[in-house]
Amino acid sequence: MKHIFSTLLVAAQLAGFSAVATAMEMKTNPKAVLELFTSQGCSSCPPADEALRQWGEQDDLITIAYHVDYWNYIGWKDVFSAPKYSKLQRDYAKSFGAGRVYTPQLIVNGKGDAVGSRRTDVEQLVEDAQLDVQVDLAVADGNLTIDLTSDGAESVDATIWVIPYISRAETDIRRGENEGKKLTYSFIARNRLPVGMWHGEAQHQLELPLRDILVDGADGMAVLVQTKRDGGPGPILGAASIQK
């Protein structure tokens, strides 16, 4: 019975997502991707969470919040946390040559980082940022189509990632450093799926079933085209997002 209920829920989600495709908010030419590593157990994180929400309202920015799990030991388990997001942050640290991770850390286009609550520092990173690969998205008949366009001038090895996210959620924090607060979170990553590779072709397309993407209440998704650096995540070359 649980399996049948889950199947019906996903089917309803997909139907709703496809039905409003023409009315969905879509970003296909951003200048930057802002990835925030945060935690509900971190007292320094709420200002960064709010800043991310506001940056996410800009047409030229795509924002994603990864909730790490290494704060969970102090008494409050972040309901959105997962070990894979902590690993992603450690992989970034390795690729940057950094010896530690911290929250709230915000990474811009996979290239540079700043404390997520220090808006001036983040905005300096964003000021001259650009993404050279055009990523276009379309939703129809229960499928997501991703189109990449570039000048095809160079050969690269980049992974195409799809990150389904919850655009907004509230949580009552009952323990830990934020005990007693009701906090709002935005663009909460629910998965991080490698769906293909891109090698610099002038035109590249792939199609994916939405049922494999929309999970855990996700009502939006970001698509990133990202290279590797020293075995870890490297510069982001292109991005797009779509959200109900």
Side-chain angles (χ1 to χ4, degrees), residues 52-122:
L52 190 79
R53 182 194 67 78
Q54 294 178 14
W55 284 318
E57 294 177 348
Q58 296 183 209
D59 292 338
D60 60 349
L61 299 178
I62 288 175
T63 50
I64 305 167
Y66 297 112
H67 286 240
V68 299
D69 69 340
Y70 52 79
W71 278 93
N72 291 352
Y73 77 95
I74 66 171
W76 175 254
K77 182 178 179 180
D78 187 322
V79 298
F80 301 119
S81 66
K84 59 187 169 186
Y85 304 137
S86 301
K87 181 181 184 303
L88 175 62
Q89 189 183 26
R90 291 193 298 270
D91 289 344
Y92 261 124
K94 181 180 178 181
S95 71
F96 288 159
R100 67 184 183 93
V101 296
Y102 64 93
T103 55
Q105 181 185 27
L106 192 144
I107 296 174
V108 177
N109 283 356
K111 297 179 178 179
D113 74 306
V115 176
S117 55
R118 296 179 182 172
R119 298 189 184 218
T120 300
D121 293 348
V122 173

Side-chain angles (χ1 to χ4, degrees), residues 134-214:
Q134 178 72 28
V135 182
D136 292 296
L137 307 178
V139 174
D141 300 323
N143 293 317
L144 170 71
T145 300
I146 303 171
D147 282 292
L148 308 186
T149 306
S150 79
D151 58 16
E154 60 180 318
S155 176
V156 298
D157 288 313
T159 303
I160 303 169
W161 296 92
V162 174
I163 299 98
Y165 63 74
I166 298 173
S167 59
R168 184 182 185 278
E170 292 183 342
T171 304
D172 290 307
I173 312 298
R174 296 190 294 275
R175 291 183 297 277
E177 291 188 356
N178 291 313
E179 182 178 2
K181 296 180 180 179
K182 185 172 187 174
L183 299 176
T184 300
Y185 298 96
S186 306
F187 312 106
I188 308 154
R190 302 310 291 144
N191 210 337
R192 196 169 188 267
L193 306 166
V195 297
M197 297 294 296
W198 179 69
H199 302 292
E201 305 94 328
Q203 300 286 332
H204 184 76
Q205 183 182 89
L206 68 158
E207 188 173 281
L208 307 167
L210 281 171
R211 66 176 179 272
D212 294 341
I213 300 171
L214 293 179

Side-chain angles (χ1 to χ4, degrees), residues 16-26 138-140 242-243:
F17 204 90
S18 296
V20 298
T22 56
M24 288 188 296
E25 177 184 347
M26 193 177 300
V139 174
I242 189 168
Q243 178 183 313

